[in-house]
PDB file of all heavy atoms in Angstrom:
ATOM      1  N   MET A 103      -7.811  60.566   0.537  1.00  0.00           N
ATOM      2  CA  MET A 103      -7.559  61.978   0.261  1.00  0.00           C
ATOM      3  C   MET A 103      -6.059  62.255   0.346  1.00  0.00           C
ATOM      4  O   MET A 103      -5.494  62.965  -0.479  1.00  0.00           O
ATOM      5  CB  MET A 103      -8.318  62.851   1.268  1.00  0.00           C
ATOM      6  CG  MET A 103      -8.179  64.325   1.017  1.00  0.00           C
ATOM      7  SD  MET A 103      -9.179  65.319   2.138  1.00  0.00           S
ATOM      8  CE  MET A 103      -8.502  64.875   3.716  1.00  0.00           C
ATOM      9  N   TYR A 104      -5.408  61.659   1.326  1.00  0.00           N
ATOM     10  CA  TYR A 104      -3.966  61.843   1.490  1.00  0.00           C
ATOM     11  C   TYR A 104      -3.212  61.274   0.298  1.00  0.00           C
ATOM     12  O   TYR A 104      -2.287  61.894  -0.222  1.00  0.00           O
ATOM     13  CB  TYR A 104      -3.502  61.163   2.782  1.00  0.00           C
ATOM     14  CG  TYR A 104      -2.008  61.008   2.906  1.00  0.00           C
ATOM     15  CD1 TYR A 104      -1.210  62.109   3.188  1.00  0.00           C
ATOM     16  CD2 TYR A 104      -1.406  59.776   2.733  1.00  0.00           C
ATOM     17  CE1 TYR A 104       0.154  61.969   3.294  1.00  0.00           C
ATOM     18  CE2 TYR A 104      -0.051  59.631   2.838  1.00  0.00           C
ATOM     19  CZ  TYR A 104       0.741  60.724   3.120  1.00  0.00           C
ATOM     20  OH  TYR A 104       2.079  60.592   3.228  1.00  0.00           O
ATOM     21  N   ALA A 105      -3.602  60.097  -0.163  1.00  0.00           N
ATOM     22  CA  ALA A 105      -2.887  59.443  -1.247  1.00  0.00           C
ATOM     23  C   ALA A 105      -3.132  60.110  -2.597  1.00  0.00           C
ATOM     24  O   ALA A 105      -2.282  60.045  -3.483  1.00  0.00           O
ATOM     25  CB  ALA A 105      -3.290  57.971  -1.318  1.00  0.00           C
ATOM     26  N   SER A 106      -4.277  60.756  -2.769  1.00  0.00           N
ATOM     27  CA  SER A 106      -4.607  61.326  -4.074  1.00  0.00           C
ATOM     28  C   SER A 106      -4.070  62.736  -4.285  1.00  0.00           C
ATOM     29  O   SER A 106      -4.049  63.221  -5.396  1.00  0.00           O
ATOM     30  CB  SER A 106      -6.127  61.335  -4.268  1.00  0.00           C
ATOM     31  OG  SER A 106      -6.712  62.229  -3.349  1.00  0.00           O
ATOM     32  N   ARG A 107      -3.645  63.395  -3.227  1.00  0.00           N
ATOM     33  CA  ARG A 107      -3.176  64.776  -3.355  1.00  0.00           C
ATOM     34  C   ARG A 107      -1.675  64.856  -3.093  1.00  0.00           C
ATOM     35  O   ARG A 107      -1.233  64.753  -1.956  1.00  0.00           O
ATOM     36  CB  ARG A 107      -3.901  65.675  -2.364  1.00  0.00           C
ATOM     37  CG  ARG A 107      -5.407  65.745  -2.486  1.00  0.00           C
ATOM     38  CD  ARG A 107      -5.843  66.584  -3.682  1.00  0.00           C
ATOM     39  NE  ARG A 107      -5.224  67.870  -3.759  1.00  0.00           N
ATOM     40  CZ  ARG A 107      -5.760  69.001  -3.352  1.00  0.00           C
ATOM     41  NH1 ARG A 107      -6.935  69.015  -2.823  1.00  0.00           N
ATOM     42  NH2 ARG A 107      -5.103  70.131  -3.475  1.00  0.00           N
ATOM     43  N   PRO A 108      -0.872  65.075  -4.122  1.00  0.00           N
ATOM     44  CA  PRO A 108       0.580  65.126  -3.922  1.00  0.00           C
ATOM     45  C   PRO A 108       1.014  66.294  -3.033  1.00  0.00           C
ATOM     46  O   PRO A 108       1.982  66.184  -2.299  1.00  0.00           O
ATOM     47  CB  PRO A 108       1.147  65.286  -5.321  1.00  0.00           C
ATOM     48  CG  PRO A 108       0.038  65.077  -6.263  1.00  0.00           C
ATOM     49  CD  PRO A 108      -1.240  65.162  -5.518  1.00  0.00           C
ATOM     50  N   ASP A 109       0.294  67.427  -3.092  1.00  0.00           N
ATOM     51  CA  ASP A 109       0.690  68.570  -2.268  1.00  0.00           C
ATOM     52  C   ASP A 109       0.481  68.281  -0.779  1.00  0.00           C
ATOM     53  O   ASP A 109       1.277  68.702   0.065  1.00  0.00           O
ATOM     54  CB  ASP A 109      -0.049  69.831  -2.690  1.00  0.00           C
ATOM     55  CG  ASP A 109      -1.556  69.647  -2.766  1.00  0.00           C
ATOM     56  OD1 ASP A 109      -2.007  68.490  -2.880  1.00  0.00           O
ATOM     57  OD2 ASP A 109      -2.273  70.653  -2.721  1.00  0.00           O
ATOM     58  N   ILE A 110      -0.579  67.533  -0.433  1.00  0.00           N
ATOM     59  CA  ILE A 110      -0.792  67.153   0.963  1.00  0.00           C
ATOM     60  C   ILE A 110       0.286  66.176   1.394  1.00  0.00           C
ATOM     61  O   ILE A 110       0.843  66.288   2.480  1.00  0.00           O
ATOM     62  CB  ILE A 110      -2.187  66.531   1.158  1.00  0.00           C
ATOM     63  CG1 ILE A 110      -3.273  67.575   0.893  1.00  0.00           C
ATOM     64  CG2 ILE A 110      -2.331  65.953   2.555  1.00  0.00           C
ATOM     65  CD1 ILE A 110      -4.672  67.012   0.942  1.00  0.00           C
ATOM     66  N   ARG A 111       0.603  65.247   0.518  1.00  0.00           N
ATOM     67  CA  ARG A 111       1.644  64.272   0.822  1.00  0.00           C
ATOM     68  C   ARG A 111       2.979  64.970   1.062  1.00  0.00           C
ATOM     69  O   ARG A 111       3.730  64.610   1.953  1.00  0.00           O
ATOM     70  CB  ARG A 111       1.783  63.299  -0.348  1.00  0.00           C
ATOM     71  CG  ARG A 111       1.564  61.892   0.037  1.00  0.00           C
ATOM     72  CD  ARG A 111       1.834  60.946  -1.086  1.00  0.00           C
ATOM     73  NE  ARG A 111       1.793  61.557  -2.401  1.00  0.00           N
ATOM     74  CZ  ARG A 111       1.287  60.994  -3.459  1.00  0.00           C
ATOM     75  NH1 ARG A 111       0.793  59.807  -3.393  1.00  0.00           N
ATOM     76  NH2 ARG A 111       1.284  61.599  -4.615  1.00  0.00           N
ATOM     77  N   GLN A 112       3.270  65.988   0.250  1.00  0.00           N
ATOM     78  CA  GLN A 112       4.537  66.694   0.378  1.00  0.00           C
ATOM     79  C   GLN A 112       4.601  67.463   1.695  1.00  0.00           C
ATOM     80  O   GLN A 112       5.645  67.520   2.337  1.00  0.00           O
ATOM     81  CB  GLN A 112       4.708  67.652  -0.800  1.00  0.00           C
ATOM     82  CG  GLN A 112       6.047  68.327  -0.830  1.00  0.00           C
ATOM     83  CD  GLN A 112       6.171  69.243  -2.037  1.00  0.00           C
ATOM     84  OE1 GLN A 112       5.178  69.539  -2.702  1.00  0.00           O
ATOM     85  NE2 GLN A 112       7.369  69.699  -2.304  1.00  0.00           N
ATOM     86  N   CYS A 113       3.474  68.027   2.134  1.00  0.00           N
ATOM     87  CA  CYS A 113       3.455  68.763   3.393  1.00  0.00           C
ATOM     88  C   CYS A 113       3.637  67.841   4.593  1.00  0.00           C
ATOM     89  O   CYS A 113       4.218  68.233   5.604  1.00  0.00           O
ATOM     90  CB  CYS A 113       2.140  69.523   3.560  1.00  0.00           C
ATOM     91  SG  CYS A 113       1.939  70.883   2.422  1.00  0.00           S
ATOM     92  N   LEU A 114       3.140  66.624   4.494  1.00  0.00           N
ATOM     93  CA  LEU A 114       3.171  65.716   5.634  1.00  0.00           C
ATOM     94  C   LEU A 114       4.413  64.849   5.705  1.00  0.00           C
ATOM     95  O   LEU A 114       4.660  64.225   6.736  1.00  0.00           O
ATOM     96  CB  LEU A 114       1.930  64.818   5.617  1.00  0.00           C
ATOM     97  CG  LEU A 114       0.603  65.568   5.805  1.00  0.00           C
ATOM     98  CD1 LEU A 114      -0.544  64.598   5.671  1.00  0.00           C
ATOM     99  CD2 LEU A 114       0.561  66.265   7.130  1.00  0.00           C
TER     100      LEU A 114
END
Side-chain angles (χ1 to χ4, degrees):
M103 183 176 61
Y104 167 74
S106 66
R107 300 285 310 262
D109 52 339
I110 294 175
R111 238 186 340 219
Q112 186 179 13
C113 291
L114 295 176

